[in-house]
Amino acid sequence: MFGYMTTDYNTVEMKEEKEVEAEGDDLMGLLFHFLDEWLFVFSADAFFIPRKIVITEFDKENFKIKSIGYGEEFDIKKHPQGTEVKAITYSNMQIYDKEGQHEVFVIIDI
């Protein structure tokens, strides 16, 4: 998602950190809210763009997740502007969580 927001992700330095928590009613809801919370951090919290996000807690039974993002404030002079991400969608969302295969597919509204 953040790779769409800047065309050169390597320009993002890990100067600050932000914490994000999310909950859902199922795995898809959890994924949606997790991504939506990170999008909110970018949109409402001084345009914070993480270079790295670390999952610190993941409760698969109760559908809760905690994470820390390491990055900095988005600066158009430093970070080449990419495409604005408007929203996360449930459209065609897929989660593969089998032994040896853990993948997610999410369509974002740009």
Side-chain angles (χ1 to χ4, degrees):
M1 175 174 74
F2 293 107
Y4 284 111
M5 295 177 180
T6 180
T7 58
D8 187 0
Y9 210 58
N10 293 322
T11 62
V12 179
E13 295 181 59
M14 295 188 284
K15 295 179 175 180
E16 303 172 37
E17 61 183 60
K18 301 281 182 183
E19 293 185 31
V20 163
E21 297 182 23
E23 296 183 21
D25 295 325
D26 55 22
L27 278 179
M28 284 193 186
L30 179 59
L31 177 59
F32 175 87
H33 290 292
F34 175 71
L35 294 173
D36 194 50
E37 286 295 322
W38 275 111
L39 182 58
F40 179 79
V41 168
F42 176 81
S43 301
D45 198 359
F47 300 105
F48 179 80
I49 186 166
R51 179 176 176 136
K52 178 179 178 180
I53 296 174
V54 176
I55 306 294
T56 57
E57 292 182 35
F58 181 54
D59 184 344
K60 195 172 175 181
E61 278 87 44
N62 296 303
F63 309 112
K64 296 180 182 181
I65 194 167
K66 293 182 181 181
S67 61
I68 299 174
Y70 301 90
E72 64 183 329
E73 183 178 334
F74 186 85
D75 181 353
I76 195 70
K77 295 175 191 164
K78 180 178 179 182
H79 309 110
Q81 186 173 9
T83 304
E84 176 187 3
V85 174
K86 295 179 184 174
I88 310 304
T89 71
Y90 277 101
S91 177
N92 203 24
M93 183 183 286
Q94 300 172 38
I95 298 175
Y96 296 101
D97 187 24
K98 299 176 183 170
E99 189 171 333
Q101 181 185 18
H102 307 281
E103 299 177 304
V104 297
F105 296 92
V106 179
I107 295 174
I108 55 177
D109 185 8
I110 54 175

